[in-house]
Short mmCIF file of all heavy atoms in Angstrom, two decimals:
data_model
loop_
_atom_site.label_atom_id
_atom_site.label_comp_id
_atom_site.label_asym_id
_atom_site.label_seq_id
_atom_site.Cartn_x
_atom_site.Cartn_y
_atom_site.Cartn_z
N SER A 56 50.92 18.48 -2.28
CA SER A 56 49.91 19.06 -3.18
C SER A 56 49.37 20.34 -2.56
O SER A 56 49.51 20.59 -1.36
CB SER A 56 48.76 18.07 -3.38
OG SER A 56 48.01 17.93 -2.18
N MET A 57 48.74 21.14 -3.38
CA MET A 57 48.14 22.39 -2.89
C MET A 57 47.07 22.06 -1.85
O MET A 57 46.94 22.77 -0.84
CB MET A 57 47.56 23.21 -4.04
CG MET A 57 47.12 24.58 -3.65
SD MET A 57 48.51 25.52 -2.96
CE MET A 57 47.75 27.08 -2.67
N GLN A 58 46.32 20.99 -2.06
CA GLN A 58 45.30 20.60 -1.10
C GLN A 58 45.93 20.29 0.26
O GLN A 58 45.44 20.71 1.30
CB GLN A 58 44.52 19.39 -1.59
CG GLN A 58 43.43 18.95 -0.63
CD GLN A 58 42.65 17.76 -1.12
OE1 GLN A 58 42.96 17.17 -2.15
NE2 GLN A 58 41.63 17.39 -0.39
N GLU A 59 47.05 19.57 0.25
CA GLU A 59 47.74 19.26 1.51
C GLU A 59 48.24 20.53 2.18
O GLU A 59 48.14 20.67 3.40
CB GLU A 59 48.91 18.30 1.25
CG GLU A 59 48.48 16.89 0.90
CD GLU A 59 49.66 16.03 0.48
OE1 GLU A 59 50.38 16.43 -0.46
OE2 GLU A 59 49.84 14.97 1.11
N VAL A 60 48.78 21.44 1.40
CA VAL A 60 49.28 22.71 1.95
C VAL A 60 48.13 23.48 2.60
O VAL A 60 48.26 23.98 3.72
CB VAL A 60 49.96 23.56 0.86
CG1 VAL A 60 50.19 24.99 1.33
CG2 VAL A 60 51.28 22.92 0.43
N LEU A 61 47.00 23.58 1.91
CA LEU A 61 45.85 24.30 2.45
C LEU A 61 45.32 23.64 3.71
O LEU A 61 44.98 24.32 4.69
CB LEU A 61 44.74 24.42 1.41
CG LEU A 61 45.07 25.29 0.20
CD1 LEU A 61 43.95 25.23 -0.83
CD2 LEU A 61 45.34 26.73 0.60
N LEU A 62 45.27 22.31 3.71
CA LEU A 62 44.79 21.60 4.90
C LEU A 62 45.73 21.79 6.08
O LEU A 62 45.28 21.98 7.22
CB LEU A 62 44.61 20.11 4.60
CG LEU A 62 43.43 19.77 3.69
CD1 LEU A 62 43.48 18.30 3.27
CD2 LEU A 62 42.11 20.09 4.38
N MET A 63 47.04 21.77 5.84
CA MET A 63 47.99 22.00 6.92
C MET A 63 47.84 23.42 7.47
O MET A 63 47.88 23.62 8.69
CB MET A 63 49.43 21.75 6.44
CG MET A 63 49.73 20.28 6.23
SD MET A 63 51.47 19.95 5.84
CE MET A 63 51.62 20.63 4.21
N ALA A 64 47.67 24.40 6.58
CA ALA A 64 47.50 25.79 7.03
C ALA A 64 46.21 25.93 7.83
O ALA A 64 46.20 26.57 8.90
CB ALA A 64 47.50 26.73 5.83
N MET A 65 45.11 25.32 7.35
CA MET A 65 43.84 25.40 8.08
C MET A 65 43.96 24.73 9.45
O MET A 65 43.45 25.25 10.45
CB MET A 65 42.72 24.74 7.28
CG MET A 65 42.30 25.53 6.08
SD MET A 65 40.90 24.88 5.11
CE MET A 65 40.73 23.21 5.57
N TYR A 66 44.63 23.59 9.50
CA TYR A 66 44.81 22.89 10.76
C TYR A 66 45.62 23.74 11.74
O TYR A 66 45.28 23.84 12.92
CB TYR A 66 45.48 21.54 10.52
CG TYR A 66 45.64 20.72 11.78
CD1 TYR A 66 44.54 20.06 12.33
CD2 TYR A 66 46.86 20.64 12.42
CE1 TYR A 66 44.67 19.33 13.49
CE2 TYR A 66 46.99 19.91 13.59
CZ TYR A 66 45.89 19.25 14.12
OH TYR A 66 46.03 18.54 15.27
N ASP A 67 46.67 24.36 11.26
CA ASP A 67 47.50 25.23 12.08
C ASP A 67 46.68 26.38 12.66
O ASP A 67 46.76 26.70 13.85
CB ASP A 67 48.67 25.75 11.24
CG ASP A 67 49.75 26.44 12.04
OD1 ASP A 67 49.63 26.56 13.28
OD2 ASP A 67 50.73 26.88 11.42
N ILE A 68 45.88 27.01 11.82
CA ILE A 68 45.04 28.12 12.25
C ILE A 68 44.00 27.64 13.26
O ILE A 68 43.77 28.29 14.30
CB ILE A 68 44.38 28.81 11.04
CG1 ILE A 68 45.46 29.53 10.22
CG2 ILE A 68 43.29 29.78 11.49
CD1 ILE A 68 45.01 29.98 8.85
N ALA A 69 43.36 26.51 13.00
CA ALA A 69 42.36 25.97 13.92
C ALA A 69 42.98 25.63 15.27
O ALA A 69 42.40 25.90 16.32
CB ALA A 69 41.69 24.73 13.32
#
Side-chain angles (χ1 to χ4, degrees):
S56 69
M57 189 60 177
Q58 181 179 5
E59 289 173 304
V60 167
L61 293 175
L62 289 171
M63 288 186 290
M65 288 183 343
Y66 183 76
D67 191 359
I68 292 167

